[in-house]
Amino acid sequence: MRNKGVCVYPGSFDPVTLGHIDLIERASKLFPELVVAVLNNPDKHNLFTVEKRMEMLQKACSHLPNVKIDSFDGLLVHYMRSIQAEIVLRGLRAVTDFENEFQMAQVNRQIAPEIETLFLMTSPDYAYISSSAVRQVAAFGGDIATLVPQCIIQDVYQAYH
Ligand code: ADP
């Protein structure tokens, strides 16, 4: 029995931004259940541990009852199969996102044809926001209030002090 109602939004979320939250809020209205899945990639140097990234997501999504936070290692399609989910959500900010996302979606389709990737366009207000921009601004003590959810601002600054 396949779990058609579950959508998985995978990413690094290092840390979660207002752009991610906008996508999560919009997708949570489209699917009965949305799983935000933090990639545990030991090869990539992340600022926050997987546990901390999940904790920040949990706080920032506490107003959304059908959103669950999880993590995964290895291939996304293997994780999708393990929870019997068939829809992947990704966000598009600019044309520059397109090429990478297109390639990833095609590879996933080759190895797991039952899985569909859906894309939501960024809201113009958040198009310029990325986790790396948040890290840069926070590293120099800049104001990140317009970039990340209010409830995680302290967590982000604490990473640098
Ligand atoms: P990854 O390292 O997998 O790209 P990210 O946490 O950077 O993980 O992003 C996860 C997903 O969210 C990606 O599909 C990315 O394009 C999308 N995304 C990131 N920032 C925004 C934003 N401001 N608006 C819309 N989508 C976004």
Side-chain angles (χ1 to χ4, degrees):
M1 199 10 215
R2 285 181 172 153
N3 214 344
K4 293 250 182 240
V6 180
C7 174
V8 173
Y9 179 31
S12 307
F13 305 104
D14 188 37
V16 60
T17 68
L18 288 176
H20 296 131
I21 295 298
D22 172 61
L23 235 71
I24 292 169
E25 284 176 346
R26 287 158 57 202
S28 73
K29 293 183 192 135
L30 302 175
F31 300 95
E33 189 181 334
L34 177 67
V35 178
V36 181
V38 178
L39 172 61
N40 185 9
N41 182 355
D43 295 338
K44 198 169 160 183
H45 177 72
N46 290 297
L47 175 61
F48 295 99
T49 63
V50 173
E51 292 72 25
K52 188 68 192 176
R53 284 181 270 156
M54 290 175 72
E55 181 197 314
M56 290 187 282
L57 274 163
Q58 204 86 55
K59 281 200 269 186
C61 297
S62 61
H63 60 301
L64 301 166
N66 64 335
V67 173
K68 284 192 191 153
I69 314 301
D70 198 4
S71 66
F72 70 103
D73 300 295
L75 283 185
L76 173 64
V77 296
H78 291 164
Y79 168 70
M80 300 283 294
R81 283 176 176 161
S82 76
I83 62 163
Q84 295 176 307
E86 294 191 330
I87 301 165
V88 180
L89 171 72
R90 296 286 289 176
L92 291 175
R93 276 163 295 189
V95 204
T96 43
D97 278 343
F98 179 81
E99 209 163 11
N100 276 338
E101 295 292 340
F102 181 75
Q103 194 197 11
M104 243 188 316
Q106 297 305 332
V107 170
N108 286 341
R109 185 196 294 273
Q110 281 296 319
I111 55 181
E114 78 281 12
I115 292 173
E116 279 294 351
T117 306
L118 294 183
F119 295 96
L120 279 181
M121 290 290 184
T122 181
S123 302
D125 286 352
Y126 303 118
Y128 65 97
I129 301 181
S130 64
S131 297
S132 59
V134 170
R135 295 194 300 270
Q136 272 175 357
V137 174
F140 294 104
D143 186 3
I144 55 170
T146 57
L147 307 176
V148 301
Q150 175 81 33
C151 59
I152 72 151
I153 291 177
Q154 281 316 314
D155 299 273
V156 176
Y157 283 135
Q158 269 164 20
Y160 293 99
H161 300 292

